[in-house]
Amino acid sequence: MPVVLLTGFEPFGGQTVNPSWQAVQRLAAAWDGPAELVTLELPVDFRTAGPALAEAVERSQPDLVVAVGQAGGRPDVTVERVAINVDDARIPDNGGFSPVDEPVVPGGPAAYFATLPVKACVAAMTAAGVPASVSQTAGTFVCNHVFYQVMHELAGRSAGGPVARGGFVHVPFTPEQAAGTRHPSMTLDVITAGLDTIVRTSLSTGVDLRVTGGTTH
Amino acid sequence: MPVVLLTGFEPFGGQTVNPSWQAVQRLAAAWDGPAELVTLELPVDFRTAGPALAEAVERSQPDLVVAVGQAGGRPDVTVERVAINVDDARIPDNGGFSPVDEPVVPGGPAAYFATLPVKACVAAMTAAGVPASVSQTAGTFVCNHVFYQVMHELAGRSAGGPVARGGFVHVPFTPEQAAGTRHPSMTLDVITAGLDTIVRTSLSTGVDLRVTGGTTH
Amino acid sequence: MPVVLLTGFEPFGGQTVNPSWQAVQRLAAAWDGPAELVTLELPVDFRTAGPALAEAVERSQPDLVVAVGQAGGRPDVTVERVAINVDDARIPDNGGFSPVDEPVVPGGPAAYFATLPVKACVAAMTAAGVPASVSQTAGTFVCNHVFYQVMHELAGRSAGGPVARGGFVHVPFTPEQAAGTRHPSMTLDVITAGLDTIVRTSLSTGVDLRVTGGTTH
Amino acid sequence: MPVVLLTGFEPFGGQTVNPSWQAVQRLAAAWDGPAELVTLELPVDFRTAGPALAEAVERSQPDLVVAVGQAGGRPDVTVERVAINVDDARIPDNGGFSPVDEPVVPGGPAAYFATLPVKACVAAMTAAGVPASVSQTAGTFVCNHVFYQVMHELAGRSAGGPVARGGFVHVPFTPEQAAGTRHPSMTLDVITAGLDTIVRTSLSTGVDLRVTGGTTH
């Protein structure tokens, strides 16, 4: 049975919850799919998130890694296309650290593309009534940092052995978080259905769909 | 026991459902509050929506009228502050009619303010975790038209008797409608919780809250 | 020769300039149209803006009044359709006053429609390459307050005499104001061209165009 | 005297002009800075834009390459941080070609970072009153394609010789393009001032500023 490592984040930015970790827990509690799910809550911390992720990969030896983070203000579940090798923090992380234009991995490649079937995941969520789209940027904060670390870790391990797939998914605020703001929101039920669809689609899709998910700018 | 008339709309604009009527039906099915609920599905039709509404008011003699409509693209439940005496259709209604700058009621006042406790409704929804805000415009399509008709009807009936309250509420697309677009969405569960809160708050609030719900422009 | 009263506002909300007054001054400096232009800078103050406006109307006896205000965040020149009889301040005015849900004019009608040829103004600006649209709400701050006062003043004076036209126009931030934010902007040249078009169109248009400027919500 | 290659694009997407090329021409006509400016209009064509760019680089041997493109809908001048090795066309290019998930350069790195002083350029524009920001994605259309080609070309030429700097800048619609839509706009004067600032800043800045230009997602 394949092993799936699913990560969410702790709260940050003044929030008391993080829907990424809430939804990961929900999915794990209800999971009955064709894989073993391993879950992990990551710190919103540039310095400790990467080692925690690497340690979990080492321990669980996953075939698939889906890291999930909160993107407050986005209206839909976004499957990220590319992680870039830069940390540029607009706000401090939970450890009070604000790197500016430093590499995630010194000497690492400028970027990694997700190896999830990004287009198939978006198409499957759309068919299931879950608002979703491809995103061309995961930002430059801890989400992009972890996304890059995931891909870097999997790239390093793939040499000579079977290749594990990985990627990153951003999810909206929940209604409880959005109440009192005018941000869009999505219930944990819908977010969890989206993550369930992403995991199942990634397990069952060999070759990604050739449909556009691009933007002109 | 007070009587509450709650209306939703039929689908329009290429949609196959209208969350306003879906949520009104859900609320009615689960309703256990201190009032009798009467529901009505209105046509998205400038010429027939008003008479249908008036007939229902005549029949049910409501103490409270809450008309609900779909505002695709808005992220939250919006309680409308004011109805204006103009029809200006950017798209044809379901009857193919596109009035431009015609009065809803010839000779009627330029506008009516909602007589719901607008601020208390928004505050109660926010406290309940339902994203909500005050809206300063209900547009110039059939929603505003019906809102104006509701207030005109209630104003006419109030002479010499007890005054019924009325207002209008716009709700977002559901996830199923928003999937494949990048519009924000809200599940029927959350929308229905919002309507439930609005009805209960309107029944129990004598004097509205004095909190701002304004905009600088 | 007809008399046109053109008003702008002083800065507010932490800004050091207000493009409405800057553009009014520019227009006046370059004006060569078929009317006498009288200009006035109004305070962003609920209590003193109305009397200042009324005094200027009394003094200049205008045939046309166009009040102009700043709408930071809007991308285009918006011609307002309707002024509503409510003050609801989200931020204090320059006098520190924050009315909530108080009438602009106690006992006044719920709203006044602009008597400018709103659609013709928008069409003429669009044809001239000035981004413009109809707005269904002027908000609930000092701009709406002054707009309501203008229309109330003109309605009161029209009894028994020739009717003066009036309305309100919102303009975007300038590039200098928007720099460092991600707000849209418009140069004073373009804003001034828009105001010039509005004044000339209002002077020369007897019957407004029957083209839609509506919204579905 | 250093040589600067400045490129714009031909119109696309139903437009009759492209402000990127209009502004490049304006800048060249008024240029009095400490460099020789070479300009080039590129086709919006995945198959021919790259060779045209490479030929111009070969011919002019630039010390600095700034490619400029139109980003209709963005409110400000955006300096792009990263080019990614993927073509994913949401609309066909001017040659009718719509690649989906194909590499810009087969076997090329996943991404290149701009070697312009991105933060210094944004800071200088902001100080000059030109709305500007850092962008984390240039999209997946011909703009990103050319940006990637620029960086790939310069990377290839840098081996063993002095390193030329390069990058990509997106500019908004002009008011003439935006009129009749509700898109934000920027006059050619302001766009040209922005490009002038970028070229001068890139020529005079050795080490980029360490200020944030990041996003949380």
Side-chain angles (χ1 to χ4, degrees):
Chain A
M1 205 175 218
V3 174
V4 178
L5 174 60
L6 203 57
T7 72
F9 279 105
E10 64 180 9
F12 73 102
Q15 300 289 325
T16 57
V17 295
N18 189 315
S20 65
W21 177 237
Q22 292 178 300
V24 164
Q25 287 176 294
R26 279 213 186 193
L27 179 56
W31 178 252
D32 62 358
E36 181 193 343
L37 271 200
V38 178
T39 65
L40 176 68
E41 184 184 18
L42 290 170
V44 177
D45 186 307
F46 283 104
R47 289 169 292 197
T48 59
L53 185 275
E55 198 266 338
V57 169
E58 179 59 32
R59 189 172 8 95
S60 62
Q61 299 286 327
D63 301 283
L64 173 66
V65 181
V66 180
V68 188
Q70 165 192 300
R74 290 196 188 168
D76 57 352
V77 176
T78 44
V79 186
E80 297 293 342
R81 187 198 285 270
V82 64
I84 61 175
N85 193 14
V86 69
D87 290 336
D88 187 354
R90 196 175 53 75
I91 58 173
D93 69 13
N94 285 354
F97 186 45
S98 303
V100 171
D101 294 349
E102 296 180 9
V104 179
V105 174
Y112 285 107
F113 287 105
T115 49
L116 299 182
V118 168
K119 305 293 180 70
C121 288
V122 169
M125 284 190 280
T126 301
V130 177
S133 60
V134 178
S135 167
Q136 325 296 343
T137 172
T140 58
F141 196 55
V142 183
C143 286
N144 172 74
H145 181 95
V146 160
F147 180 15
Y148 188 94
Q149 294 271 19
V150 166
M151 303 317 299
H152 189 69
E153 185 74 22
L154 298 184
R157 303 174 73 83
S158 69
V163 180
R165 275 181 154 177
F168 197 92
V169 178
H170 265 121
V171 301
F173 279 144
T174 58
E176 292 76 13
Q177 292 179 288
T181 78
R182 295 217 61 202
H183 285 300
S185 65
M186 188 175 274
T187 60
L188 284 178
D189 282 354
V190 178
I191 294 173
T192 306
L195 297 184
D196 184 88
T197 300
I198 288 167
V199 172
R200 289 176 194 265
T201 302
S202 298
L203 289 169
S204 64
T205 305
V207 177
D208 197 7
L209 298 178
R210 276 282 179 134
V211 294
T212 187
T215 56
T216 51
H217 58 259
Chain B
M1 206 177 218
V3 173
V4 178
L5 175 60
L6 203 57
T7 72
F9 279 105
E10 65 179 10
F12 73 101
Q15 299 290 324
T16 57
V17 294
N18 190 316
S20 66
W21 177 235
Q22 292 178 298
V24 164
Q25 287 176 294
R26 279 214 185 192
L27 179 56
W31 179 250
D32 62 358
E36 181 193 344
L37 273 199
V38 178
T39 64
L40 176 68
E41 185 184 18
L42 289 170
V44 178
D45 186 306
F46 283 104
R47 288 170 291 198
T48 59
L53 186 276
E55 199 267 336
V57 169
E58 178 59 33
R59 188 170 9 92
S60 62
Q61 299 288 326
D63 302 283
L64 174 67
V65 181
V66 180
V68 188
Q70 166 192 299
R74 289 196 188 170
D76 57 351
V77 175
T78 45
V79 185
E80 297 293 345
R81 188 197 284 270
V82 63
I84 61 175
N85 193 14
V86 68
D87 291 336
D88 186 356
R90 194 175 55 75
I91 57 172
D93 70 12
N94 285 354
F97 186 47
S98 302
V100 171
D101 292 349
E102 296 180 10
V104 178
V105 174
Y112 285 106
F113 287 105
T115 49
L116 300 182
V118 168
K119 306 293 181 70
C121 288
V122 169
M125 285 190 279
T126 300
V130 176
S133 61
V134 178
S135 167
Q136 325 297 344
T137 172
T140 58
F141 196 55
V142 183
C143 286
N144 173 75
H145 180 94
V146 160
F147 180 15
Y148 188 94
Q149 294 270 18
V150 166
M151 302 318 300
H152 190 69
E153 185 74 23
L154 297 184
R157 302 174 72 83
S158 69
V163 181
R165 276 180 154 179
F168 196 93
V169 178
H170 265 121
V171 301
F173 280 145
T174 58
E176 292 76 14
Q177 291 179 288
T181 77
R182 293 218 62 204
H183 285 300
S185 65
M186 187 174 275
T187 60
L188 285 178
D189 281 355
V190 177
I191 294 173
T192 305
L195 297 184
D196 184 87
T197 300
I198 288 167
V199 172
R200 289 177 195 264
T201 302
S202 298
L203 289 169
S204 65
T205 304
V207 177
D208 197 8
L209 297 178
R210 278 280 179 136
V211 294
T212 187
T215 56
T216 52
H217 57 260
Chain C
M1 205 175 218
V3 174
V4 178
L5 175 60
L6 203 58
T7 72
F9 279 105
E10 65 180 8
F12 73 102
Q15 300 290 325
T16 57
V17 295
N18 189 315
S20 65
W21 177 236
Q22 292 177 299
V24 164
Q25 286 175 295
R26 279 214 185 192
L27 180 56
W31 179 251
D32 62 358
E36 181 193 344
L37 272 200
V38 178
T39 64
L40 176 68
E41 185 184 19
L42 289 171
V44 178
D45 186 307
F46 283 104
R47 288 170 292 198
T48 59
L53 185 276
E55 199 268 337
V57 170
E58 178 59 33
R59 187 170 9 94
S60 61
Q61 300 286 326
D63 301 283
L64 173 67
V65 181
V66 180
V68 188
Q70 165 192 299
R74 290 196 188 170
D76 57 352
V77 175
T78 45
V79 186
E80 297 293 344
R81 187 198 285 271
V82 63
I84 62 175
N85 193 15
V86 69
D87 290 336
D88 187 355
R90 194 175 54 75
I91 58 173
D93 69 13
N94 285 354
F97 186 47
S98 302
V100 171
D101 293 349
E102 296 180 10
V104 178
V105 174
Y112 285 106
F113 287 106
T115 49
L116 300 182
V118 169
K119 306 294 180 71
C121 288
V122 169
M125 284 190 280
T126 301
V130 176
S133 61
V134 178
S135 167
Q136 325 296 343
T137 172
T140 58
F141 196 55
V142 183
C143 286
N144 173 76
H145 181 95
V146 160
F147 180 16
Y148 188 95
Q149 294 270 19
V150 166
M151 302 317 299
H152 190 69
E153 186 74 22
L154 297 184
R157 303 175 72 84
S158 70
V163 180
R165 276 180 155 179
F168 196 93
V169 178
H170 265 120
V171 301
F173 280 144
T174 58
E176 292 77 13
Q177 292 179 288
T181 77
R182 294 218 60 205
H183 286 300
S185 65
M186 187 174 276
T187 60
L188 285 178
D189 281 355
V190 178
I191 294 173
T192 305
L195 297 185
D196 184 87
T197 300
I198 288 167
V199 172
R200 290 177 194 265
T201 302
S202 298
L203 289 168
S204 65
T205 305
V207 177
D208 197 8
L209 298 178
R210 277 282 180 135
V211 293
T212 186
T215 56
T216 52
H217 58 259
Chain D
M1 207 177 216
V3 174
V4 178
L5 175 60
L6 204 56
T7 72
F9 279 106
E10 65 180 9
F12 73 102
Q15 300 289 324
T16 57
V17 294
N18 190 316
S20 65
W21 177 235
Q22 292 178 300
V24 163
Q25 287 176 294
R26 279 213 185 193
L27 179 56
W31 179 251
D32 63 358
E36 180 193 342
L37 272 199
V38 179
T39 64
L40 176 69
E41 184 184 18
L42 290 170
V44 178
D45 186 307
F46 283 104
R47 288 170 292 198
T48 59
L53 185 276
E55 198 268 335
V57 169
E58 178 59 33
R59 187 170 10 91
S60 62
Q61 299 287 327
D63 301 284
L64 173 66
V65 181
V66 180
V68 188
Q70 165 193 298
R74 289 197 188 168
D76 57 352
V77 175
T78 44
V79 186
E80 297 293 344
R81 187 198 286 270
V82 63
I84 61 175
N85 192 15
V86 69
D87 290 336
D88 187 355
R90 195 175 53 75
I91 58 173
D93 69 13
N94 285 354
F97 185 47
S98 302
V100 172
D101 293 350
E102 296 180 9
V104 178
V105 174
Y112 285 107
F113 287 105
T115 49
L116 300 182
V118 168
K119 304 294 180 69
C121 288
V122 169
M125 285 189 280
T126 301
V130 177
S133 60
V134 178
S135 167
Q136 325 296 342
T137 173
T140 58
F141 196 55
V142 182
C143 286
N144 172 75
H145 180 94
V146 160
F147 181 15
Y148 189 95
Q149 295 270 17
V150 166
M151 302 318 299
H152 190 69
E153 185 75 23
L154 297 184
R157 302 174 72 84
S158 69
V163 180
R165 277 181 154 177
F168 196 93
V169 178
H170 265 120
V171 301
F173 280 144
T174 59
E176 293 75 14
Q177 291 179 288
T181 76
R182 295 220 58 205
H183 285 300
S185 65
M186 188 175 274
T187 59
L188 285 179
D189 281 355
V190 178
I191 293 173
T192 305
L195 297 185
D196 184 87
T197 300
I198 288 167
V199 172
R200 289 176 194 265
T201 303
S202 297
L203 289 169
S204 65
T205 304
V207 177
D208 197 8
L209 298 178
R210 277 280 179 136
V211 294
T212 188
T215 56
T216 51
H217 58 260

